[in-house]
Amino acid sequence: MYGVIKTVKEDSFNQLGLDPCILEDELNKAVQGTGLAFIAFTEAMTHFPASPFWSVMFFFMLINLGLGSMIGTMTGITTPVLDAFPKIRKEFLCGEASIE
């Protein structure tokens, strides 16, 4: 879009005060910390042999990481409740089905 405006408004383009929007510059401004590792790793995966396989494995890892965090959070919530109220069965609180 920057290039189109520059060609259409050649005479008054400098007065508009527009800066070119370069994707790399925007990513460098917005991404910091651990998010940078995810972007750098996904960019590196495009250069691996069989990159679709590694991409699927990366996102499978993210899903497992999220599920593990969720299980840890639920354990942190249910354990104090079960300790405070020992008559409550864990199966009722966690929604576990027992096979008997």
Side-chain angles (χ1 to χ4, degrees):
M1 196 62 164
Y2 179 82
V4 172
I5 295 172
K6 190 173 184 177
T7 56
V8 172
K9 297 282 188 177
E10 290 178 19
D11 52 346
S12 61
F13 182 75
N14 292 333
Q15 295 172 350
L16 294 175
L18 297 176
D19 293 330
C21 180
I22 300 171
L23 180 63
E24 289 82 14
D25 292 342
E26 295 300 319
L27 287 175
N28 289 335
K29 282 190 237 175
V31 178
Q32 297 174 355
T34 57
L36 180 61
F38 289 119
I39 289 177
F41 188 71
T42 53
E43 177 65 28
M45 277 193 304
T46 61
H47 301 292
F48 289 172
S51 62
F53 170 75
W54 293 112
S55 297
V56 168
M57 293 305 292
F58 176 73
F59 289 107
F60 183 66
M61 178 207 58
L62 289 179
I63 289 171
N64 283 331
L65 182 66
L67 288 174
S69 297
M70 184 179 69
I71 290 170
T73 301
M74 288 306 297
T75 302
I77 292 170
T78 57
T79 300
V81 171
L82 290 172
D83 289 344
F85 304 103
K87 291 186 179 184
I88 297 176
R89 292 183 49 177
K90 183 180 178 182
E91 292 82 14
F92 293 129
L93 190 60
C94 296
E96 296 175 7
S98 62
I99 301 173
E100 291 181 19

